[in-house]
């Protein structure tokens, strides 16, 4: 089976390397030559493409791209890759996009006789590199079952949520909660500083109360050490929160808490922290 992988960033690169480590025939493409070089360095079964169109003959194509417009520009339309792929192939997207874009992708793939799976991811680059990345899959059950062994190569555990729209909706909801929680955590840490509580002790004590959270456990120590290195950047966090709020609006629900948190990520981006980790929201609170 021949695999294609488009998008070798912090998340996609790790998944593509897992395929190569497993000895799979993988053709990769990214606009960044260094990302390609890093990915091909892990094994001998990978090769580079000069453009996305070169992946048209693959049996399975993955995409991991930043924004819905990047996915649409790469995959849809007369020049999009879906128009060039062979019937019976499978397209798997692991990006974080919105349910409306999911419908477009699913419909375009189905019209060409191509299977489609939405497979957004649950954690960060470190888990992606070790094939310990939770995968939330959505699409037709027969396509999911056909691709399950492949998905288990790039990440684990793998969950099936039903339709592609449900998979993307879940990921957006997860990030809405996570990023809002992070903003509240940053605010709490600032108030603790005002109260004169030693910051390390503050975090240790919070972890033993109802204030404990993934963000406290993971990003709390980074904040404590002034570590704002980009694992999941402010700009990407803001993109996901915006998509989530728009999704909720489409369904007639006003995501008030998330919209409030979104304002602080917007401030962080405007103040030049776009390419720092999303924990940089601490700097603007």
């Amino acid at each position: 089976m021949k695999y294609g992988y488009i998008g070798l960033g912090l998340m996609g690169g790790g998944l593509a390397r897992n395929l190569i480590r497993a000895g799979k025939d993988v053709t990769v493409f990214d606009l960044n030559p260094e990302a390609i070089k890093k990915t091909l360095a892990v094994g001998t079964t990978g090769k580079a493409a000069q453009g996305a169109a070169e992946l048209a003959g693959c049996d399975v194509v993955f995409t991991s791209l930043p924004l819905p417009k990047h996915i649409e520009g790469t995959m849809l339309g007369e020049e999009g890759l879906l128009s060039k792929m062979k019937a019976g192939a499978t397209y798997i997207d692991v990006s974080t996009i919105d349910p409306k874009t999911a419908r477009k992708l699913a419909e375009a793939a189905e019209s060409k006789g191509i299977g489609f799976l939405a497979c957004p991811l649950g954690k960060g680059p470190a888990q992606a590199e070790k094939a310990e990345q939770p995968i939330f899959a959505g699409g037709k059950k027969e396509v999911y079952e056909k691709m399950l062994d492949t998905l288990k190569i790039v990440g684990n555990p793998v969950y099936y949520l039903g339709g592609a729209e449900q998979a993307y909706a879940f990921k957006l909801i997860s990030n809405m909660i996570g990023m809002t929680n992070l903003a509240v955590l940053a605010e709490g840490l600032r108030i603790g500083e005002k109260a004169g509580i030693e910051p390390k002790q503050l975090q240790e004590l919070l972890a033993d109360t109802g204030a404990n959270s993934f963000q406290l456990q993971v990003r709390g120590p980074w904040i404590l050490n002034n570590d704002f290195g980009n694992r999941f950047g402010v700009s990407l966090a803001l993109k996901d929160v915006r998509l989530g709020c728009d999704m909720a609006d489409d369904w007639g629900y006003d995501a008030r808490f998330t919209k409030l948190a979104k304002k602080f990520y917007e401030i962080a981006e405007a103040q030049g922290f776009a390419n720092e980790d999303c924990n940089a929201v601490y700097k603007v609170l």
Side-chain angles (χ1 to χ4, degrees), residues 165-181:
E165 294 176 54
Q166 283 71 43
Y168 287 127
F170 172 80
K171 179 57 188 295
L172 290 178
I173 293 166
S174 171
N175 282 5
M176 290 168 73
I177 294 171
M179 292 303 102
T180 302
N181 177 263

Side-chain angles (χ1 to χ4, degrees), residues 112-208:
K112 301 292 183 180
I114 297 166
F116 173 63
L117 285 180
C119 292
L121 310 172
K123 292 187 179 177
Q127 290 78 23
E129 201 68 50
K130 296 185 289 185
E132 296 174 355
Q133 182 68 253
I135 295 174
F136 305 103
K140 290 187 175 179
K141 190 66 174 291
E142 60 268 27
V143 180
Y144 167 75
E145 291 174 345
K146 177 183 175 183
M147 288 292 107
L148 183 55
D149 288 343
T150 291
L151 294 177
K152 287 182 177 179
I153 292 171
V154 299
N156 269 301
V158 181
Y159 303 98
Y160 181 65
L161 277 81
E165 294 176 54
Q166 283 71 43
Y168 287 127
F170 172 80
K171 179 57 188 295
L172 290 178
I173 293 166
S174 171
N175 282 5
M176 290 168 73
I177 294 171
M179 292 303 102
T180 302
N181 177 263
L182 177 57
V184 172
L185 170 64
E187 183 172 79
L189 296 181
R190 286 298 192 193
I191 296 170
E193 293 167 9
K194 295 287 186 182
I197 305 171
E198 195 278 321
K200 187 173 186 295
Q201 183 186 36
L202 173 63
Q203 291 199 21
E204 290 173 350
L205 296 180
L206 287 174
D208 200 31

